[in-house]
């Protein structure tokens, strides 16, 4: 495994592999790796000969009052995981390498796909992600890129970006990796106190219950969703959103149709920790 910090070196490494006829898969991460990331690495390996991982906490996707400064960072441990997983190249750029110095004249705007879910709650978040992923695709030049369903809206926006900006790569979505009690794995789970960690799986349990009700025939789930959110509040969660969304346009849907596929997605705070989760289900 090689670890590289510069654009020239990552390009040289990836082009070298591709010139040997190898297919290269890329998994962008912000580090603080957990089993969710490792499941992406393993899926990437099924789609390619070699796997390249980036570890970069992207300042552009954090709002002024968000946790950029506190975001967990542990490069040494991350590199051990990457080595154990048989990763070929790890790209660990600095902010200066990613963004250079001086004024920036361009940005990426996103229409509609960004209006609800995390896009609605975190202004600038997906513009920052689209920007860094666009740059990383141009820098790394992979044949395949793997992202998690955990961030479904992110996947959808990147999918659209690949299509509209003609990135020459195949996108693969990996399922959500969960702890035994159902909590979706996340680097931010490290912020949870013992009590909060015990409470956290209630979010996914609630979501599973809602999906079950819908599949039992409840085609207008809004009042149930309101009731379940109130329940979560009484247990100590602070709600951001919990709704059914269309799979492609990322807009809320109140009247469901039998046979259609939807996304139930939620975001809550436990203390200061923001947790997101989702379930893709057929109605
Ligand atoms: P992050 O380091 O949080 O930016 O995540 C890097 C990639 O890992 C993204 O594509 C995420 O969607 C994905 N990911 C994060 N958590 C999970 C999880 N629990 N299961 C599967 N993929 C995940």
């Amino acid at each position: 495994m090689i670890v590289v910090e510069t654009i020239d070196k990552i390009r040289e490494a990836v082009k070298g592999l591709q010139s040997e006829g190898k297919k290269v898969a890329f998994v962008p991460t912000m580090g603080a790796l957990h089993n969710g990331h490792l499941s992406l690495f393993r899926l990437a390996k099924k789609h390619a000969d070699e796997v390249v991982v980036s570890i970069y906490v992207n300042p552009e996707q954090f709002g002024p009052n968000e946790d950029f400064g506190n975001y967990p960072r542990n490069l040494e441990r991350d590199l051990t995981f990457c080595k154990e997983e048989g990763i070929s190249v790890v790209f660990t750029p600095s902010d200066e390498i990613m963004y250079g110095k001086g004024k920036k004249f361009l940005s990426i705007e996103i229409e509609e796909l960004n209006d609800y879910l995390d896009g609605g709650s975190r202004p600038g978040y997906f513009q920052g992600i689209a920007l860094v992923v666009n740059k990383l695709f141009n820098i790394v030049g992979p044949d395949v890129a793997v992202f998690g369903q955990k961030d479904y809206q992110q996947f959808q926006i990147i999918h659209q970006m690949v299509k509209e900006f003609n990135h020459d790569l195949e996108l693969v979505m990996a399922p959500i990796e969960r702890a035994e009690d159902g909590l979706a794995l996340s680097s931010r789970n490290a912020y949870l106190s013992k009590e909060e960690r015990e409470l956290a799986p209630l979010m996914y349990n609630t979501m599973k219950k809602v999906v079950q009700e819908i599949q039992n025939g409840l085609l207008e789930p809004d009042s149930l969703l309101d009731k379940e959110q109130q329940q979560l509040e009484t247990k100590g969660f602070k709600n951001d959103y919990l709704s059914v969304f269309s799979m492609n346009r990322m807009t809320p849907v109140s009247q469901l149709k039998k046979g259609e596929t939807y996304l139930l997605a939620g975001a809550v705070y436990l203390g200061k920790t923001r947790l997101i989760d989702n379930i893709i289900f057929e109605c």
Side-chain angles (χ1 to χ4, degrees):
M1 182 176 92
I2 60 167
V3 182
V4 297
E5 284 173 27
T6 67
I7 293 174
D8 285 349
K9 289 226 169 83
I10 183 72
R11 283 201 172 130
E12 188 188 314
V14 173
K15 287 206 172 110
L17 293 169
Q18 288 166 332
S19 71
E20 292 168 18
K22 289 182 169 150
K23 199 167 164 184
V24 173
F26 175 45
V27 185
T29 80
M30 297 209 299
L33 301 180
H34 50 67
N35 280 331
H37 297 108
L38 304 193
S39 73
L40 266 61
F41 299 170
R42 290 168 197 164
L43 186 63
K45 213 174 277 169
K46 289 196 180 140
H47 286 264
D49 303 302
E50 310 277 344
V51 180
V52 173
V53 169
S54 63
I55 298 176
Y56 179 61
V57 185
N58 173 34
E60 291 288 322
Q61 71 190 67
F62 288 80
N65 299 318
E66 293 185 350
D67 57 345
F68 176 69
N70 294 330
Y71 196 83
R73 292 164 172 88
N74 195 337
L75 185 60
E76 224 169 279
R77 182 171 165 274
D78 289 348
L79 292 179
T80 307
F81 279 140
C82 288
K83 208 167 185 176
E84 284 169 4
E85 291 296 318
I87 302 306
S88 310
V89 188
V90 184
F91 180 45
T92 59
S94 63
D95 290 340
E96 198 180 327
I97 282 178
M98 281 309 292
Y99 289 106
K101 283 185 183 154
K103 178 172 163 50
K104 302 292 171 295
F105 295 89
L106 302 179
S107 62
I108 297 182
E109 287 305 316
I110 303 163
E111 276 178 38
E112 190 176 328
L113 296 178
N114 198 30
D115 289 351
Y116 297 95
L117 297 113
D118 274 31
S121 303
R122 303 177 66 184
Y125 175 56
F126 284 117
Q127 287 88 341
I129 290 181
L131 180 66
V132 80
V133 173
N134 195 49
K135 285 163 81 69
L136 286 167
F137 284 173
N138 287 326
I139 291 167
V140 176
D143 303 292
V144 179
V146 183
F147 292 84
Q149 181 199 318
K150 164 95 189 312
D151 301 275
Y152 183 82
Q153 189 178 24
Q154 164 176 281
F155 186 89
Q156 202 49 33
I157 289 170
I158 291 169
H159 180 257
Q160 199 60 29
M161 185 180 81
V162 165
K163 199 166 133 192
E164 292 185 24
F165 292 180
N166 308 94
H167 284 289
D168 188 14
L169 53 82
E170 177 199 344
L171 269 191
V172 173
M173 184 165 79
I176 301 175
E177 194 73 14
R178 298 180 180 281
E180 261 177 30
D181 58 11
L183 176 66
L185 298 181
S186 163
S187 305
R188 289 194 168 93
N189 292 350
Y191 299 150
L192 297 170
S193 69
K194 191 167 166 284
E195 293 73 24
E196 289 166 347
R197 176 62 190 81
E198 277 168 18
L199 199 55
L202 188 60
M203 181 195 188
Y204 179 54
N205 288 336
T206 302
M207 291 172 73
K208 280 198 297 192
K209 194 168 108 189
V210 169
V211 168
Q212 193 61 61
E213 292 281 333
I214 293 171
Q215 289 176 329
N216 288 343
L218 179 75
L219 296 178
E220 292 178 20
D222 283 354
S223 53
L224 175 65
L225 288 164
D226 283 348
K227 200 182 95 202
E228 293 299 339
Q229 282 189 292
Q230 281 166 24
Q231 278 291 321
L232 287 171
E233 292 266 345
T234 63
K235 294 277 163 49
F237 290 81
K238 197 171 157 302
N239 290 296
D240 183 349
Y241 59 82
L242 179 65
S243 270
V244 176
F245 296 92
S246 62
M247 290 295 289
N248 297 326
R249 303 295 277 265
M250 303 276 80
T251 46
V253 187
S254 296
Q255 177 69 57
L256 310 185
K257 291 197 191 101
K258 269 248 154 286
E260 296 270 312
T261 301
Y262 297 98
L263 181 81
L264 173 66
V268 293
Y269 289 89
L270 262 182
K272 287 197 172 134
T273 310
R274 182 184 171 80
L275 302 175
I276 60 167
D277 204 343
N278 68 68
I279 301 177
I280 295 172
F281 67 95
E282 196 181 315
C283 194

